[in-house]
Amino acid sequence: MSQYHPLTEAEAIEIARTINEVFPTGEELVSKEIGDGNLNLVFHITQPATGASLIVKQALPYAKVVGESWPLSLDRARIESEALVKQGELAPGLAPRVYKTDNELALTIMEDLSDHVIMRKGLIEGGVYPKFAEHISEFIARTLFFTSDLGMNQQEKKRLVESFINPDLCKITEDLIFEDPYYDSPNNNIEAHLRDAAEAIWADEELKLEVAFLREKFLTNAQALLHGDLHTGSIFVTPDSTKVIDPEFAYYGPMGFDIGAVFANLLLNYASQEHWSADEAARRDRRAYLLNTIRDIWTLFEAKFRKLWNEHGADRVFRAPGYQDSYLSRLLQDTVGFAGAKTVRRIYGLSHVADIDSIPDAGARERAQRLALSIGTSLIKHNRKAVSIEDLLDIASAAVAK
Amino acid sequence: MSQYHPLTEAEAIEIARTINEVFPTGEELVSKEIGDGNLNLVFHITQPATGASLIVKQALPYAKVVGESWPLSLDRARIESEALVKQGELAPGLAPRVYKTDNELALTIMEDLSDHVIMRKGLIEGGVYPKFAEHISEFIARTLFFTSDLGMNQQEKKRLVESFINPDLCKITEDLIFEDPYYDSPNNNIEAHLRDAAEAIWADEELKLEVAFLREKFLTNAQALLHGDLHTGSIFVTPDSTKVIDPEFAYYGPMGFDIGAVFANLLLNYASQEHWSADEAARRDRRAYLLNTIRDIWTLFEAKFRKLWNEHGADRVFRAPGYQDSYLSRLLQDTVGFAGAKTVRRIYGLSHVADIDSIPDAGARERAQRLALSIGTSLIKHNRKAVSIEDLLDIASAAVAK
């Protein structure tokens, strides 16, 4: 079976049966393919007699997006699997357990998280996740710090950079986030009523200069092993638990890209609150919850990151007075900029978000879209001037007040 | 013969004989081992009957410096060889031709350049190289531009980053340039009369903060494939020809590190002019020649780099108005900072330069050393404020005038 081919359900069951720690007994296994079929096969394997279960995820050798199909390296399955293992080691309990990896078959067998909900869906349904800021700040602080030159052996770090070279997946980000939205590209997915807003962005030279700086950082700044796609669709939650999944975009890049991704997706949900037209107070409360979550994440992240640095800093040169403060300042600025770029592209780029696209009322959807574009472009333009997380929150608040 | 072992002269001759383009006829070959024995064996193979010759260079699995010996990866021979080939393709005529590589034996068979002189020696002897600025600016502009995200396919660039991961050699730079000189490290090689100057640097927090920023760039900023050790001992010259050799430190790093290395070594020679105490006018002329060479290199480099960008720029996002100017400004600042760091470490770090150490008069040598430290530390402190190459030249002139 070891030569690559897309698995049948029978084969997925056969492989799942080898995971003794989940299925120590021989009762029947049942498979259900639950992937969206665009990038991966995802088999949910259960043992009805015991209630035990796991996930078999297999990469497909192509990507299908809006009907197009292009080849995509199967090496991404190795990268995803190695990133999951690394993240699980560095942030225990915050990534799914990996039971087995098979690089030849491009598959990872891992913990079943079907008792969790995808956070994007949870937020759309009005869910509240009181542990989320604590958990995600822990995840980003520990995975970023301990894979960076600040927190690990700097020669071993270079070997990690080598194993996480990820051209195919980085190309998707470079195109869809740092290029297409700023040109009249056929990859964009622009609703007719937003064309004027897109055209205004294409003509905005100040904005495009800042996008060039952000693109440069994404291309060259090998700070830490990133998740690379840390939106709310890559996070499973319950009120008590957070699990970060799907790190197939993992590579060595600028830390602010991961933090900015979390903030952008909370801001997209913030913008989507336009559809609650019936109850202004509830809408205001929901938005306050989202902004407070962003503030909490940054505040907790910064405190944890500084503590890790002070306790586990691997480099005495980086103890120079003022350096840590400068590092965190620049990281905040990167975070603000990347949050902006990740917000803009979700409104009229190739790939949108359900938070906004699922708003049934056309007027409310358009208001949400324009609000998100206003926040996103303001963050991009402000990024190198940001001095505090309050700058980001003020931009979000001011955009609503307009 | 293919399993690794240090070659005998007879074996070196046997391998050289396979290079038909140099030795098409069967006459006798003669070998002379001309390496310094610390890092590599270097066999100079000649054919007396025809006058043909070549170099067989073989990496040794250890480094010997001031009596110490530590293991060093043989993979550096592959890196050196691949870098030579790449640089030769991108900057034709400015790197030695490579005839053959054998990664198993860690050897490179290449063009014999014994009609050239090592530039450091040439400068010490008062040589003038009217083509040097033209040639070296061409070398750095083309090798840096065409290996960067500005000038090549950005997915292929990631594969180059992967093949030039070079932990062992980077570690030497990280220690000897970006750490040891700023601490009372046993790796330093401090003459007793300079101890006060070293101690002043160890106590200079402003300076050490700037060194932390430079170290960060060296560790994380994968801008271009660097030579990695571009001092005047890695450059062969004649009045008409320039050949850059020994790129075993090649890796993806910040462009300013290569340019700064050239400038630092011209500035070290500039500082060494203290020994010409007999003739003030000749000394002034020599210093003017060195500063003019630096100015010419930067001016030519900048013009060539901008022209390459305008004609071969591979990325439309980087055409944003203002971006190219910002890129060159930041590159100049990096260059100033790295030039400073590469100057300081040569005065009391592990490895000095003959320009200064060979000054016979103790008083003149000390004046040269203090002058170099003054220039180096000023460049480091000024780097983020530099706006023009004149800033660097002014610092060098002002240090002499003190």
Side-chain angles (χ1 to χ4, degrees), chain B residues 289-307:
Chain B
Y289 163 68
L290 292 163
L291 293 193
N292 286 334
T293 301
I294 292 176
R295 181 187 292 110
D296 288 349
I297 293 170
W298 179 264
T299 307
L300 288 164
F301 163 77
E302 180 171 350
K304 290 173 187 197
F305 196 83
R306 285 182 185 271
K307 187 162 187 283

Side-chain angles (χ1 to χ4, degrees), chain B residues 341-388:
Chain B
K342 298 210 61 145
T343 300
V344 167
R345 73 96 163 206
R346 291 292 195 179
I347 303 306
Y348 64 85
L350 180 64
S351 177
H352 297 188
V353 287
D355 311 59
I356 285 175
D357 277 16
S358 68
I359 298 174
D361 178 74
R365 192 169 77 247
E366 180 172 348
R367 287 199 305 280
Q369 289 167 326
R370 290 186 184 273
L371 181 54
L373 287 179
S374 167
I375 294 170
T377 55
S378 297
L379 292 176
I380 293 172
K381 287 188 184 181
H382 187 69
N383 82 91
R384 290 187 296 153
K385 294 171 234 152
V387 295
S388 152

Side-chain angles (χ1 to χ4, degrees), chain A residues 149 154-155 157-159 161-162 165 167 170-171 174 178-179 183 205 208-209 212-213 215-216 219-222 315-318 320-323 326-327 330, chain B residues 149 154-155 157-159 161-162 165 167 170-171 174 178-179 183 205 208-209 212-213 215-216 219-222 315-318 320-323 326-327 330:
Chain A
D149 289 297
Q154 294 170 345
Q155 275 41 61
K157 178 235 179 185
K158 293 171 179 66
R159 291 292 171 210
V161 172
E162 185 178 34
I165 293 285
C170 285
K171 171 77 172 154
E174 290 156 20
F178 296 112
E179 181 168 355
Y183 300 88
E205 299 294 357
K208 287 165 87 170
L209 177 59
F213 290 134
R215 180 176 175 89
E216 177 188 330
L219 288 167
T220 61
N221 197 2
D315 188 322
R316 64 175 167 175
V317 180
F318 293 152
Y323 181 70
S326 158
Y327 199 99
R330 290 179 286 134
Chain B
D149 289 296
Q154 294 170 345
Q155 275 42 60
K157 179 234 177 184
K158 293 170 178 67
R159 291 292 171 210
V161 172
E162 185 178 36
I165 294 286
C170 285
K171 171 75 171 155
E174 289 155 21
F178 296 112
E179 181 168 355
Y183 300 89
E205 299 295 356
K208 289 166 86 171
L209 178 59
F213 290 133
R215 180 177 175 89
E216 178 188 330
L219 288 167
T220 61
N221 197 2
D315 188 320
R316 64 175 167 175
V317 180
F318 293 153
Y323 181 71
S326 158
Y327 198 98
R330 290 180 286 134

Side-chain angles (χ1 to χ4, degrees), chain A residues 117-138:
Chain A
V117 62
I118 287 291
M119 189 175 187
R120 186 180 309 288
K121 186 160 177 290
L123 287 177
I124 291 171
E125 292 169 356
V128 170
Y129 304 100
K131 297 280 181 65
F132 176 67
E134 182 67 41
H135 288 160
I136 201 73
S137 63
E138 183 84 0

Side-chain angles (χ1 to χ4, degrees), chain B residues 127-356:
Chain B
V128 170
Y129 304 100
K131 299 279 182 63
F132 176 67
E134 182 67 42
H135 288 160
I136 201 73
S137 63
E138 183 84 2
F139 181 87
I140 54 183
R142 294 184 61 90
T143 60
L144 298 180
F145 179 79
F146 283 118
T147 60
S148 78
D149 289 296
L150 304 173
M152 75 175 289
N153 177 287
Q154 294 170 345
Q155 275 42 60
E156 289 167 22
K157 179 234 177 184
K158 293 170 178 67
R159 291 292 171 210
L160 277 188
V161 172
E162 185 178 36
S163 30
F164 286 98
I165 294 286
N166 197 354
D168 282 16
L169 283 286
C170 285
K171 171 75 171 155
I172 295 176
T173 303
E174 289 155 21
D175 286 355
L176 301 192
I177 300 181
F178 296 112
E179 181 168 355
D180 294 326
Y182 304 95
Y183 300 89
D184 189 4
S185 160
N187 287 337
N188 290 328
N189 178 8
I190 311 177
E191 292 181 78
H193 64 267
L194 288 180
R195 183 128 197 125
D196 67 307
E199 285 173 352
I201 285 175
W202 301 338
D204 188 336
E205 299 295 356
E206 180 196 350
L207 185 76
K208 289 166 86 171
L209 178 59
E210 295 300 329
V211 170
F213 290 133
L214 293 168
R215 180 177 175 89
E216 178 188 330
K217 284 178 186 162
F218 186 84
L219 288 167
T220 61
N221 197 2
Q223 269 184 333
L225 179 60
L226 305 189
H227 177 283
D229 195 28
L230 196 49
H231 57 77
T232 46
S234 297
I235 302 171
F236 265 127
V237 282
T238 71
D240 297 320
S241 171
T242 303
K243 303 276 185 185
V244 176
I245 62 167
D246 288 356
E248 59 196 324
F249 284 76
Y251 88 111
Y252 260 82
M255 296 182 182
F257 187 74
D258 268 4
I259 316 175
V262 176
F263 292 175
N265 282 273
L266 295 173
L267 290 171
L268 286 159
N269 190 270
Y270 172 95
S272 80
Q273 300 302 321
E274 283 305 306
H275 74 289
W276 284 30
S277 47
D279 185 342
E280 189 59 39
R283 186 199 298 175
R284 211 170 42 228
D285 287 354
R286 187 68 182 166
R287 284 191 163 141
Y289 163 68
L290 292 163
L291 293 193
N292 286 334
T293 301
I294 292 176
R295 181 187 292 110
D296 288 349
I297 293 170
W298 179 264
T299 307
L300 288 164
F301 163 77
E302 180 171 350
K304 290 173 187 197
F305 196 83
R306 285 182 185 271
K307 187 162 187 283
L308 289 172
W309 191 330
N310 294 335
E311 291 177 1
H312 304 283
D315 188 320
R316 64 175 167 175
V317 180
F318 293 153
R319 285 182 218 133
Y323 181 71
Q324 189 182 102
D325 289 343
S326 158
Y327 198 98
L328 270 296
S329 296
R330 290 180 286 134
L331 180 47
L332 175 78
Q333 293 176 347
D334 288 0
T335 297
V336 169
F338 289 125
K342 298 210 61 145
T343 300
V344 167
R345 73 96 163 206
R346 291 292 195 179
I347 303 306
Y348 64 85
L350 180 64
S351 177
H352 297 188
V353 287
D355 311 59
I356 285 175

